[in-house]
Amino acid sequence: MSMVKLDLAKADAKYYSDEAKRAKALAIREELRQDKEDFTGWVNWPTELPAEWMSDMKRVADDVRSKCDKLIVIGIGGSYLGTAAVIEALGGSKPGCPEILYAGNNMSGHYLADFKAVVEDNEVCLCVVSKSGGTMESRLAFSVLKDWMYEKYGREETAKRIVAITDPKKGILREESDKEGYVTFEIPGNIGGRYSAFTPGIMFPLAVAGVDIDTFVKGAKDISLDEEFWQEGIKYAVTRHSLLEAGKQIEVFEYYDPSLRLIGEWCKQLFGESEGKEGKGLFPASLTFSTDLHSMGQFLQEGSQVFFETIFNVLKRDKDVTVPASAGADLAGKSLNEINAMAVRGVMAAHAKADIQMIKLDIEEISEYGLGQLLYFLMMTSAVTGKLMGIDPFNQPGVEDYKQEIRNLLGQ
Ligand code: PA5
């Protein structure tokens, strides 16, 4: 069953009813499924993922859980955002599982100094995730934290507490892992960072946090094979592309629960790095409602209409609060989740008056299964929209420029 439903009732039909574009988008999806291009390995990966990879990840995750109360995940961009987004959406690590902490996603000495102080008295293991193995942020944090672990545990024990996830064959992390004897997992060569949600790079730390990774992958697998779903679901890519052609420049991802904030960050990375090329692309932004209605709500309602909205509307939540009598007769006795659902309707009604184009994604529930479906759906949407735009959604040539400038300044 599909956990994601596309609701285009608040978008103008001219943006989604172009049948020729829909047919083209479906053909692009078909082509992607042939997996004949560079970096399209992710498309069928949920079906192809070897069973022994799953059991190996779970076995090593058990071992890590027995050794530590904090797992430090070092990685940046596609090499950590999926992990952080899923864990945050699910409400943190499961009871009895280590807390997952993140390093190597910035170059701030202040952050890393504070980070070391936070983990000082804990039992830690470290999972370093880098497809290339050479990313500056990950290298820096890995060397600093590894040195700190040498002092705490000694070199031999440290090596037993490190899991490295990288390219199967190349890169300095692969070389070091082979030399030092770290446990390793692979990010398959034909899968890039932001499309790696169902690889060990994301799923191994999820397993340590107690996330049911079998169900997570099953969500992705089921939606990837659901032909009926894609007949309708492909319209998200079609609508985004038509809105871009009509002059919209920004897609604002909106959610009504702060636990989805990192899903918003994950979307910014997926869509921004995949589509912003050759002078084209939608700038992805994200807002938490109702929090940001008290700031950006003004801009959305009356500001320059360079944007359209994509609303993540979660239908079922497993926790709720009833408003007590002290809140006043108009609110007393109501469920907060129901009030939040009314906020979705109310905000959409207000924005419709301002003629804002809105795409609603109804998400049945935030669970391992639902998140697996959602992430895969968004990955496919990004790839198909990129192809409709005529760019390569799987490279990131622009990212190299700033890296080179930093290397120049460091005299490398
Ligand atoms: O999507 C991407 O390719 C990037 O965001 C990468 O994930 C990020 O730059 C980290 O790269 P690496 O895993 O090689 O360290």
Side-chain angles (χ1 to χ4, degrees):
M1 179 190 132
S2 164
M3 291 267 162
V4 184
K5 204 167 141 274
L6 182 65
D7 177 355
L8 293 167
K10 290 276 191 291
D12 195 303
K14 69 180 179 218
Y15 297 119
Y16 59 80
S17 55
D18 180 340
E19 276 307 310
K21 192 181 281 186
R22 180 160 163 269
K24 191 172 171 192
L26 284 168
I28 290 171
R29 176 177 163 258
E30 244 348 279
E31 237 167 72
L32 287 168
R33 295 178 74 204
Q34 303 302 313
D35 188 12
K36 287 193 179 132
E37 274 179 61
D38 282 349
F39 295 107
T40 50
W42 60 273
V43 180
N44 302 317
W45 182 249
T47 316
E48 292 168 353
L49 176 55
E52 60 274 20
W53 284 35
M54 295 300 281
S55 42
D56 284 352
M57 278 190 277
K58 287 184 268 180
R59 179 179 47 75
V60 178
D62 281 346
D63 181 49
V64 166
R65 269 198 295 268
S66 72
K67 285 188 181 135
C68 70
D69 47 38
K70 308 263 187 236
L71 173 70
I72 301 170
V73 172
I74 293 181
I76 191 163
S79 287
Y80 96 104
L81 272 168
T83 304
V86 169
I87 292 177
E88 188 172 273
L90 292 174
S93 294
K94 297 281 161 73
C97 296
E99 186 187 359
I100 312 296
L101 300 174
Y102 306 94
N105 53 55
N106 60 65
M107 293 191 220
S108 163
H110 189 98
Y111 177 92
L112 208 50
D114 277 353
F115 186 94
K116 276 166 64 182
V118 166
V119 290
E120 188 83 326
D121 298 326
N122 291 102
E123 285 301 328
V124 302
C125 288
L126 191 154
C127 171
V128 54
V129 188
S130 179
K131 174 83 188 287
S132 62
T135 302
M136 174 87 74
E137 289 88 338
S138 325
R139 271 179 61 199
L140 290 169
F142 187 39
S143 65
V144 170
L145 293 172
K146 200 172 41 178
D147 253 32
W148 167 77
M149 285 173 74
Y150 285 162
E151 275 171 36
K152 190 174 167 84
Y153 297 114
R155 199 171 174 120
E156 206 177 309
E157 176 61 18
T158 295
K160 290 185 190 149
R161 287 172 178 259
I162 291 176
V163 175
I165 308 180
T166 188
D167 187 272
K169 296 197 183 89
K170 47 183 203 281
I172 53 173
L173 182 57
R174 170 58 56 191
E175 281 166 29
E176 176 176 332
S177 303
D178 292 346
K179 189 163 147 253
E180 299 287 333
Y182 305 147
V183 171
T184 60
F185 291 107
E186 295 174 14
I187 301 175
N190 201 24
I191 300 182
R194 57 197 174 275
Y195 291 88
S196 68
F198 303 99
T199 72
I202 299 303
M203 291 209 298
F204 172 71
L206 289 183
V208 176
V211 173
D212 176 354
I213 55 173
D214 291 316
T215 307
F216 179 61
V217 181
K218 182 157 176 15
K221 180 178 165 182
D222 286 355
I223 201 167
S224 76
L225 299 173
D226 187 343
E227 291 310 316
E228 207 182 312
F229 168 80
W230 288 105
Q231 292 303 315
E232 197 55 27
I234 206 76
K235 285 190 188 166
Y236 180 31
V238 168
T239 311
R240 297 178 75 246
H241 183 252
S242 299
L243 285 161
L244 175 68
E245 282 191 322
K248 297 295 180 198
Q249 293 167 13
I250 299 171
E251 177 172 21
V252 185
F253 295 98
E254 299 164 359
Y255 31 85
Y256 285 72
D257 192 315
S259 66
L260 297 188
R261 189 185 62 86
L262 289 178
I263 296 283
E265 293 302 310
W266 182 84
C267 284
K268 277 152 66 173
Q269 197 246 342
L270 172 70
F271 289 104
E273 204 172 9
S274 298
E275 298 175 1
K277 282 160 205 169
E278 301 176 26
K280 303 177 190 168
L282 289 161
F283 184 92
S286 64
L287 295 175
T288 309
F289 285 172
S290 62
T291 317
D292 293 328
L293 284 170
H294 296 260
S295 52
M296 296 299 287
Q298 172 58 36
F299 187 102
L300 297 174
Q301 191 76 39
E302 293 185 352
S304 151
Q305 269 212 17
V306 286
F307 64 91
F308 66 92
E309 300 176 12
T310 294
I311 300 132
F312 292 156
N313 181 41
V314 181
L315 299 179
K316 269 188 243 146
R317 298 310 320 244
D318 48 7
K319 290 183 200 149
D320 200 359
V321 166
T322 303
V323 183
S326 59
D330 54 335
L331 297 171
K334 291 194 163 61
S335 126
L336 217 59
N337 284 344
E338 277 167 24
I339 296 175
N340 209 18
M342 279 180 221
V344 178
R345 285 170 51 197
V347 173
M348 288 184 77
H351 289 188
K353 281 193 225 153
D355 205 23
I356 294 168
Q357 297 301 310
M358 286 170 273
I359 299 167
K360 183 154 71 73
L361 298 179
D362 286 327
I363 303 158
E364 193 59 30
E365 63 187 29
I366 294 297
S367 58
E368 278 96 335
Y369 189 70
L371 288 166
Q373 290 209 350
L374 179 66
L375 267 46
Y376 186 93
F377 170 61
L378 295 169
M379 278 157 48
M380 181 57 82
T381 296
S382 154
V384 171
T385 315
K387 294 271 177 189
L388 284 171
M389 285 163 49
I391 53 95
D392 178 353
F394 307 123
N395 65 7
Q396 51 280 329
V399 173
E400 275 315 305
D401 284 352
Y402 89 82
K403 288 185 182 168
Q404 191 51 51
E405 290 295 337
I406 297 177
R407 283 196 285 265
N408 293 345
L409 288 170
L410 289 169
Q412 291 178 342

